[in-house]
Amino acid sequence: MAAPDVPDALLPAVLRGVAESDLPDRAALAALPHPTLATAWEGDPTHPLSTAQEPAELIPDAELHITRTSADRPARGRQIASFLSQDEGAPAPPAPSSR
């Protein structure tokens, strides 16, 4: 997938617009039949926690994972891999050893 063709000088405005945009229709979210993983980073000014919390509350088969500290970052990848492997019945990848 190609990166968006947005000049660097416009990126702050684009990100603010995305952060302030509305979610899809709530009824449409509530009707989604697919398992959904919503992720968020607590304190991220460009992606407020509410933009992940609300869809996670509305979508019937949704999980919400919140990264709260930089120490939580390695677990985020494992959480995503575990979520994606659920439908396939494959085990989640092991946690890396901390040697």
Side-chain angles (χ1 to χ4, degrees):
M1 175 185 290
D5 187 19
V6 177
D8 288 347
L10 293 179
L11 283 176
V14 169
L15 290 174
R16 273 193 302 279
V18 170
E20 294 173 0
S21 66
D22 288 334
L23 290 169
D25 179 71
R26 273 77 178 154
L29 289 173
L32 287 174
H34 313 290
T36 302
L37 177 63
T39 63
W41 181 292
E42 189 172 72
D44 181 348
T46 62
H47 186 249
L49 204 50
S50 62
T51 61
Q53 289 172 320
E54 188 172 1
E57 291 169 4
L58 292 169
I59 300 169
D61 196 12
E63 293 180 29
L64 173 63
H65 291 278
I66 301 170
T67 301
R68 299 188 189 283
T69 69
S70 59
D72 295 336
R73 288 176 59 194
R76 190 174 192 173
R78 290 189 302 277
Q79 291 168 337
I80 293 169
S82 175
F83 178 83
L84 292 174
S85 69
Q86 287 177 15
D87 285 338
E88 299 175 21
S97 65
S98 55
R99 292 184 191 189

